Structures are given as structure tokens and as C-alpha cells.
Amino acid sequence: MRRQTTTTTQQTGQTQQQTGQTQTGQTQTGTVVSGSSQQTTVTTQQTSFSRSVQTAVFQAIAQRSQINVSQLRLVEVRRRAWATSCLGLNISGRSCAQVMTPGYLVVASSGNQVFVYRTDATGSVVLFDQRATEIRTAQIRSRSTAISFRDVSANHWAASFIRELAALDIVDGYPDGSYRPDQPVTRAEFAAIIRRAFNEAEVREAINFLDVDRRYWAYGAIQETYRMGFLSTVANNLFRPVNSISKGDVLFALATGLRVSTTSSTDTLLSVYNQTNLSVEQRTLLAALTEQGIVVNYPDIRSINLDRTVTRAEVAVIVYQTLASLGCVPTIESPHVIDGGDVVTIDNDRDDDDDDDDDDDE
């Protein structure tokens, strides 16, 4: 794990339109545009990230890390809807009810320290996300090391995403120094990437795939991703490890493995796409992925092409965006990523003013 970057991916002649950023307690407004010259934003209803919720999160951080609340600053706040009362986390010894729980993913910092927490909508449940905090901290520590591949130029549409994941040892290149961004991804290769990027609780027992020998290089990754619920059999206990994987399979594997959900309008979230021949379950999952900024469409932002074989570049961007949606890494802006409107605008200057007011009151 090596380096962090805050590079904004922007190709020559392209402009990005960041419209309708959410102000706390207001409605999100945005534009849906065709083509790649503008960023596509979905219009959704925003809920309020109140000062009381922020205070609850800051107090939890202060208690856990022995940091003064006045030293904390918000880095990022994202709207979320979790499928359990444990906010999507696996907590030993805690019973989690299967109930839709709206809330927030909150990233805060104090100097070089960063903290990722999850909270319900009122701040009555505030939970530390250790995995996301560890990845985000590792990325900060890796800032000094640059990763490059001879076939990924600085202006390649996925360059920043590829380099960031390579710095985190989630993707890697080939011995000749190449990454081969346009090469298809096999099911075994995708399983290896999933294993490095995510650490979800096991939801089922392992099985013996008839076409995956124990000595196969990706045997462990395939077994783990199956147990975590990301990937399944193709047919008759076959995994087909060398088969290329489609973009739809990648997206829906992430959606099911991470149990994504949304309380927003499915029709609104999917209005940005020109493909509608999806099942009800696929529409629900795709809507949740869209809201969380995970869907990437290149070169045409509105053409999702779920049946097309996915490339190594696309997988890198999709996996990075998934990690960003979990608070594990900072967002990299790109005109090829659908803005689902889940990011809440924060104002630390207002917090400073409020702190000053509190001091005056004392």
C-alpha cells in the first residue's frame, strides 16, 4: 500500500458540471445530460444531516480516540440506507435486525488522522467502521510513492483510479510494466480483486467447484468471494474461472455482496440510462449502485451496456468508486461516473463560527 492522490480526471476539451450540490436539509437539484462533456447528476430528495448527528459522531470519535472534539473536522458525509439496524456492519455479540435503516456515512479528520463512522438518521446509533478507516489511513500513508504503468498515460480516462488501486495493492500490472487497461477481466481475476478490496462477513458455506482445482492460483479468492456472497456458480457447481465477466455481472456482484439498498425513487435514479430491459431486482440494485456513485459508463455516460465484457480499466474505476462509497478512499471526480446525489455538502467554517459562538456564550 503506497500512495494517495486527489487528482481530478479531466480529458482535454471536457468540462465538468457539478450542479445542485446538497445543502443540509434541502432538496438536491441536478441536471441529466447526454454525452461525456458534462457530469451527469441525478435529482433526488435529500435528508438533513443535522448538527446533533454531527455532534454524536464527534463525541463517539473523541471517546474512542481520546481526541478533543474541537480538533475534529468533517471530510465527507454521504447519505446511506442500510438493510440492518447494525448499519451494514458485522458486530460480534450484537443482534442486528433486518430493517431498512437510513443514515449517513461520515468521514472526519484530526490532523493526519482519519475516522470513518456510520450513523442512523438521528445520531442515536453511531458505529465505528474499522475496515474503511484502515484503508483510508493506508492510502494517506502511501502518498509518497507513485505508481505508473507504461500503457496508462496521464490523460487516460481511468488513470487516477488505476494508480490508486495499484498503490493499495488491490490491482496489479504485468511483469513487463503494463496494465493492459483494455483487456477483458476473467471471473477468477475479478474474484482476486474482490478478495483484496473487501472483507465482508460470510453468508454461506464454501462448495467444491468442479472446474477449480485446489492448486489453481485463484482458488482461495474464488472460495472467499463465494462465501461472502459476491460471486456464485454458473451452473452445476461450475465457476468458469477463465470466462470473461460482463459489466452487469461485476455491478450486480458488488451490489449483492455489499447488500446495497436505497430509499430513493428507482425510476428517478435510473432515468439517466438508455437501457431499461432489466428485472425488478436488477433495477433495484442498479438504482442503489447509481445513488452511491458506483456506476461508470465509458465512453457514453448514458449507455450502461450491462451485457458487454468489462475491461480492466472499467473494473478498476468501478471498484474504486465502490470503495469511495464506503468511505474507504476519497472521491476522484470523473465525467464518466454517474453522480447519484448521495454526498452532502458540509461547511466546516460554519462549525468554527458555531464553536466561537459557544465560547462567547461561556
Side-chain angles (χ1 to χ4, degrees), residues 12 43 47 56 66 68 72 84 93 113 123 136 175 213 225 242 264 358:
T12 304
T43 302
T47 55
Q66 303 300 308
N68 193 300
L72 293 169
T84 70
Q113 293 181 281
R136 195 127 185 173
D213 188 87
T225 53
V242 298
S264 299
D358 294 340

Side-chain angles (χ1 to χ4, degrees), residues 54-227:
Q54 177 182 327
T55 298
V57 174
F58 278 15
Q59 288 177 344
I61 297 173
Q63 182 177 4
R64 180 184 180 89
S65 305
Q66 303 300 308
I67 293 176
N68 193 300
V69 170
S70 64
Q71 298 175 325
L72 293 169
R73 292 292 180 271
L74 288 174
V75 175
E76 184 177 280
V77 178
R78 290 175 177 265
R79 289 184 300 118
R80 283 293 174 265
W82 288 285
T84 70
S85 59
C86 292
L87 312 183
L89 295 175
N90 303 297
I91 304 174
S92 179
R94 179 166 179 162
S95 178
C96 300
Q98 298 295 314
V99 57
M100 188 68 72
T101 308
Y104 301 95
L105 181 73
V106 182
V107 182
S109 68
S110 174
N112 290 327
Q113 293 181 281
V114 65
F115 313 92
V116 183
Y117 274 73
R118 300 185 183 191
T119 175
D120 66 0
T122 63
S124 58
V125 178
V126 180
L127 301 175
F128 177 58
D129 191 331
Q130 182 172 347
R131 170 72 173 171
T133 300
E134 288 174 351
I135 295 177
R136 195 127 185 173
T137 300
Q139 194 181 32
I140 292 174
R141 291 174 179 170
S142 66
R143 283 174 175 170
S144 60
T145 303
I147 303 294
S148 63
F149 299 99
R150 64 180 181 83
D151 57 348
V152 180
S153 62
N155 63 351
H156 188 281
W157 75 274
S160 296
F161 302 91
I162 293 170
R163 291 168 184 164
E164 285 299 324
L165 286 193
L168 290 169
D169 294 324
I170 293 173
V171 301
D172 49 25
Y174 292 88
D176 63 359
S178 67
Y179 181 78
R180 305 176 192 175
D182 298 325
Q183 182 171 294
V185 177
T186 67
R187 284 171 55 82
E189 289 170 334
F190 183 60
I193 293 172
I194 291 296
R195 182 193 201 184
R196 296 171 186 170
F198 308 105
N199 185 27
E200 298 301 300
E202 296 181 1
V203 296
R204 57 193 174 190
E205 296 293 327
I207 64 172
N208 293 320
F209 292 104
L210 300 179
D211 55 349
V212 181
D213 188 87
R214 286 182 177 272
R215 293 167 293 182
Y216 185 63
W217 71 270
Y219 174 82
I222 290 170
Q223 288 292 339
E224 285 190 37
T225 53
Y226 176 82
R227 291 197 299 265

Side-chain angles (χ1 to χ4, degrees), residues 12-79:
T12 304
Q14 290 181 333
T15 58
Q16 296 179 6
Q17 181 180 5
Q18 185 72 27
T19 61
Q21 285 193 321
T22 305
Q23 300 297 326
T24 304
Q26 297 181 355
T27 300
Q28 166 96 358
T29 59
T31 59
V32 177
V33 296
S34 178
S36 59
S37 62
Q38 294 178 305
Q39 183 174 12
T40 299
T41 306
V42 182
T43 302
T44 57
Q45 181 69 34
Q46 186 69 282
T47 55
S48 173
F49 181 70
S50 66
R51 183 62 184 274
S52 62
V53 177
Q54 177 182 327
T55 298
V57 174
F58 278 15
Q59 288 177 344
I61 297 173
Q63 182 177 4
R64 180 184 180 89
S65 305
Q66 303 300 308
I67 293 176
N68 193 300
V69 170
S70 64
Q71 298 175 325
L72 293 169
R73 292 292 180 271
L74 288 174
V75 175
E76 184 177 280
V77 178
R78 290 175 177 265
R79 289 184 300 118

Side-chain angles (χ1 to χ4, degrees), residues 269-289:
L269 289 167
L270 298 184
S271 64
V272 295
Y273 306 121
N274 56 18
Q275 180 174 349
T276 58
N277 54 331
L278 302 172
S279 68
V280 173
E281 181 183 9
Q282 287 176 327
R283 286 176 58 83
T284 300
L285 292 175
L286 185 59
L289 291 169

Side-chain angles (χ1 to χ4, degrees), residues 324-358:
S325 77
L326 297 171
C328 298
V329 294
T331 299
I332 298 176
E333 293 184 9
S334 168
H336 306 295
V337 176
I338 302 292
D339 177 7
D342 68 321
V343 178
V344 179
T345 299
I346 56 179
D347 186 358
N348 280 312
D349 291 336
R350 185 196 69 180
D351 298 336
D352 292 338
D353 294 339
D354 291 343
D355 291 340
D356 293 340
D357 293 341
D358 294 340

